[in-house]
Structures are given as C-alpha cells and as structure tokens.
C-alpha cells in the first residue's frame, strides 16, 4: 500500500467520523483537533476505524503521531511496512 492509498483511507475515515468535512478541502498539515475541530470522541472513532480498516492498533500515547493527515500517513506507512 502506498502513501497515496493510505492518505485516501485516512481522509475517507475522517469524512465518516465528521461528514461535514470534505476530504478535498483537507490539507496534509491540517491539525485534526485545532483545524478540523474533531473532538476527543471523534479522534477515538477515527483510531477505531483505522484499526478496523488497516489492522493497526494505535496506542493512546501515540495519538500525537497522527494529529495531521501527513503525520498519520507516515505513522501508518511505518506500521504497515514495519
């Protein structure tokens, strides 16, 4: 799975958690909480969805590693190839 495919998955799952967010409007550096206004429950739902979709567990201590789409792609790509 390449970075573009992972990015599409991340944006798709963000859109499922927050349907008012258009994936086309999300920049790689948008902060999930500060810029996209996801709350802690939204983040938990996103982490759960990514786990179900990719089979990757993300410990709470590592949530800062996925706080932007770009960081999430790097983190998830590292876990997939890991």
């Amino acid at each position: 799975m390449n970075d573009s495919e992972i990015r599409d998955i991340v944006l798709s799952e963000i859109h499922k958690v927050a349907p008012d967010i258009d994936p086309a409007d999300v920049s790689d550096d948008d902060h999930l909480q500060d810029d996209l206004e996801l709350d802690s429950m939204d983040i938990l739902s996103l982490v759960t969805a990514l786990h179900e979709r990719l089979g990757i567990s993300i410990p709470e201590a590592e949530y800062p590693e996925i706080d932007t789409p770009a960081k999430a792609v790097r983190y998830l790509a590292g876990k997939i190839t890991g």
Side-chain angles (χ1 to χ4, degrees):
M1 182 173 301
N2 65 37
D3 287 358
S4 179
E5 292 169 325
I6 296 170
R7 184 180 188 280
D8 288 344
I9 289 170
V10 169
L11 294 179
S12 170
E13 295 305 329
I14 289 171
H15 180 67
K16 288 178 185 174
V17 168
D20 56 318
I21 296 174
D22 182 351
D25 294 336
V26 177
S27 120
D28 285 341
D29 296 322
D30 281 344
H31 191 275
L32 298 181
Q33 290 180 305
D34 296 341
D35 298 319
L36 301 181
E37 299 181 355
L38 298 183
D39 63 24
S40 58
M41 287 306 296
D42 293 331
I43 299 296
L44 182 58
S45 295
L46 175 62
V47 167
T48 301
L50 291 171
H51 173 72
E52 289 175 1
R53 186 121 178 228
L54 298 171
I56 296 171
S57 294
I58 305 170
E60 187 174 352
E62 295 179 8
Y63 287 6
E65 298 295 318
I66 63 161
D67 64 7
T68 70
K71 287 172 70 175
V73 169
R74 279 193 303 273
Y75 176 86
L76 295 168
K79 293 291 185 178
I80 290 170
T81 61

